Amino acid sequence: MSIIYWIIIGGIAGWLADRIMGSSNGLAVNIAVGIVGAFIGGWIFGQLGIYPEAGIIGSLVTAVVGAVVLIFGIRLVRG
């Protein structure tokens, strides 16, 4: 069940990050960006000593923040 949870949260987080950053990607890319973003967001929040509330909202916020950072970083590298 947790894999399905990761896919759903990843898809929503990737889609929200796409909208925030003004880009448009497909579903598979949104899921991948959201899942990778969750790891990045978790690391960033951990470094800052911020521990979002557990549950769907905390996971979603963490994943969206990480996904936005990921998209921003990719844009910096691409030029």
Side-chain angles (χ1 to χ4, degrees):
M1 196 63 177
S2 66
I3 265 297
I4 294 171
Y5 177 77
W6 278 31
I7 291 170
I8 292 170
I9 294 295
I12 293 169
W15 180 80
L16 286 172
D18 264 357
R19 298 297 162 238
I20 291 169
M21 296 300 288
S23 57
S24 178
N25 293 315
L27 179 62
V29 173
N30 284 344
I31 291 170
V33 166
I35 291 172
V36 173
F39 287 106
I40 293 171
W43 180 81
I44 290 171
F45 284 165
Q47 294 299 312
L48 295 173
I50 300 170
Y51 301 100
E53 184 177 321
I56 294 174
I57 300 300
S59 297
L60 189 59
V61 168
T62 302
V64 169
V65 168
V68 167
V69 169
L70 177 62
I71 292 170
F72 181 75
I74 289 171
R75 286 184 182 176
L76 282 178
V77 171
R78 283 189 181 170

